[in-house]
Amino acid sequence: MTTSEYDSLRPPESAGRGRRSGRHRRRTGPGGADGSREMPMVPEVEFTSYYGRPVVKPAPWGPEIAGYLFLGGVAGGSGLLAAGAQLTGQETLRRNCRLAAITAVGLGAVALVHDLGRPERFLNMLRTFKLTSPMSVGSWILSAFSAGAGVAAAAEVDRMTGERLPLGPLRRVLRAVEGPAGLEAAAFAPLLAVYTAVLLGDTSTPTWNAAHEELPFVFASSASLAASGLAMVTTPVAETAPARRLAVLGVIGDLLATRIMHRRMDPVAAEPLHEGRAGQMLRLSEALAVAGGIGTLLGGRRRGVAVASGLALVAASALTRFGIFEAGIHSAKDPRYTIEPQKRRLAARRAAGATDDSITTAG
């Protein structure tokens, strides 16, 4: 009789049981001891991907989009800080923050259009408003913020030039709408600062998607660092008290949000945030945030310390955004960051009793 290496895997037959031939052979039901029950013969496959190629397509974004992430935070934080200065009567801080907001949002729009390739593509995104699309909502947020920030900045420029702009009778209108425009920009400022985090988390990029719940908080604190730091650099210390308070709160929020994000993420999906160039940028960002926060808290009333601390905070914000962007792009290129978290989520669902949805592995 010919044997096979797989015969050793068959369960033993009952003692004393002889062979039955022809039509007298009797089968036992499932789970019987005659070797008729099914048994797995192939071990579970350790799947990576097809020829090691990426499982998900990396986002087709260049460094311009990383710059847009940072500039959006600067614009949003500055617009909110400008409104606070407007309401408290701090004219220099208001002016500097308004000019910072419109400059940042303008440069960010240029970076966005450059990545899109043609300006009309941005205009096409404004043809509809789709709540389920972060990019569609973000385009409208950017436009609404830019309108208010532009009017407020125009009023500041007109005052700086001694009312030499050729506005004619429009000057009185500009003065009348300047305050409401600044508050309108402030209303959209927090959304502008964090909507890009929602946009990143909504993609299939493993690291961004794994951090989608905490990423908006990280971006909000990062925007606070950028806006307050820039205000401390450009504004005399006599009017930077609101910026200093925002800076300290931003540092605390940044450290907490980042720690919570790393702890709650899948450990494999979080690896790109700790390794390589992205890991270096994020570690340096944390060090600069702490140094800038300490400098602001202890010596922010001295001009030299305020400028150095402000520059550290702006650099920390930029490194946070660029580091997270870099980590996401890297995670999409390595199939391990897609496959292993999926298998872990599937194992958790099976352990919880879900055994009939092996295709649906999303957490």
Side-chain angles (χ1 to χ4, degrees), residues 6-359:
Y6 296 109
D7 289 345
S8 60
L9 300 176
R10 295 173 63 88
E13 295 185 358
S14 302
R17 183 176 181 275
R19 288 182 176 270
R20 297 177 182 268
S21 59
R23 62 185 181 89
H24 298 291
R25 178 175 294 177
R26 182 176 60 86
R27 287 188 173 185
T28 60
D34 64 345
S36 62
R37 60 182 177 182
E38 295 183 359
M39 292 192 66
M41 295 297 180
V42 181
E44 185 178 358
V45 178
E46 187 68 24
F47 175 74
T48 55
S49 71
Y50 186 72
Y51 286 106
R53 297 181 64 86
V55 177
V56 298
K57 184 178 180 180
W61 296 333
E64 298 88 354
I65 295 301
Y68 174 71
L69 300 179
F70 167 65
L71 291 168
V74 174
S78 297
L80 196 61
L81 193 55
Q86 172 185 331
L87 296 175
T88 55
Q90 295 173 312
E91 296 182 0
T92 305
L93 180 62
R94 181 200 65 200
R95 180 198 66 199
N96 292 345
C97 288
R98 284 179 174 179
L99 295 179
I102 193 61
T103 301
V105 80
L107 292 175
V110 170
L112 179 61
V113 170
H114 183 270
D115 186 80
L116 292 173
R118 295 199 303 269
E120 59 268 24
R121 289 180 176 174
F122 176 78
L123 298 177
N124 288 336
M125 290 191 290
L126 299 176
R127 295 174 61 185
T128 59
F129 182 77
K130 189 176 181 181
L131 282 174
T132 56
S133 170
M135 185 170 292
S136 174
V137 175
S139 301
W140 282 96
I141 291 173
L142 176 63
S143 300
F145 177 87
S146 300
V151 170
E156 297 292 352
V157 172
D158 187 48
R159 272 190 294 270
M160 291 172 62
T161 58
E163 298 186 350
R164 294 177 183 175
L165 296 181
L167 297 177
L170 291 178
R171 180 168 285 109
R172 297 180 63 182
V173 177
L174 181 62
R175 293 287 182 266
V177 301
E178 169 190 359
L183 297 178
E184 184 268 348
F188 287 95
L191 301 177
L192 178 65
V194 303
Y195 97 85
T196 48
V198 179
L199 176 63
L200 296 183
D202 195 51
T203 67
S204 59
T205 303
T207 296
W208 295 342
N209 186 265
H212 71 278
E213 292 183 354
E214 296 79 26
L215 207 54
F217 298 97
V218 175
F219 274 35
S221 57
S222 170
S224 301
L225 298 182
S228 59
L230 186 58
M232 291 166 59
V233 171
T234 59
T235 308
V237 293
E239 291 195 18
T240 57
R244 293 196 301 269
R245 287 192 289 268
L246 181 62
V248 173
L249 292 175
V251 171
I252 296 173
D254 184 70
L255 296 177
L256 288 177
T258 303
R259 289 283 192 278
I260 293 172
M261 179 181 72
H262 289 174
R263 186 169 64 249
R264 295 184 62 182
M265 287 178 65
D266 182 275
V268 174
E271 281 183 10
L273 296 173
H274 305 283
E275 301 175 350
R277 187 169 62 174
Q280 293 175 354
M281 286 191 285
L282 292 173
R283 285 190 294 272
L284 182 57
S285 170
E286 181 176 325
L288 288 173
V290 172
I294 293 175
T296 301
L297 192 62
L298 300 181
R301 292 180 177 85
R302 293 197 292 269
R303 181 61 180 158
V305 177
V307 171
S309 300
L311 291 174
L313 295 175
V314 173
S317 176
L319 288 169
T320 294
R321 305 267 178 148
F322 276 81
I324 290 174
F325 179 83
E326 177 73 19
I329 296 298
H330 175 70
S331 71
K333 295 178 180 179
D334 190 336
R336 174 172 174 262
Y337 298 121
T338 301
I339 298 299
E340 290 193 16
Q342 283 183 343
K343 293 177 66 177
R344 216 178 335 269
R345 290 194 295 267
L346 177 58
R349 292 178 65 84
R350 286 176 173 171
T355 59
D356 57 348
D357 62 345
S358 59
I359 295 178

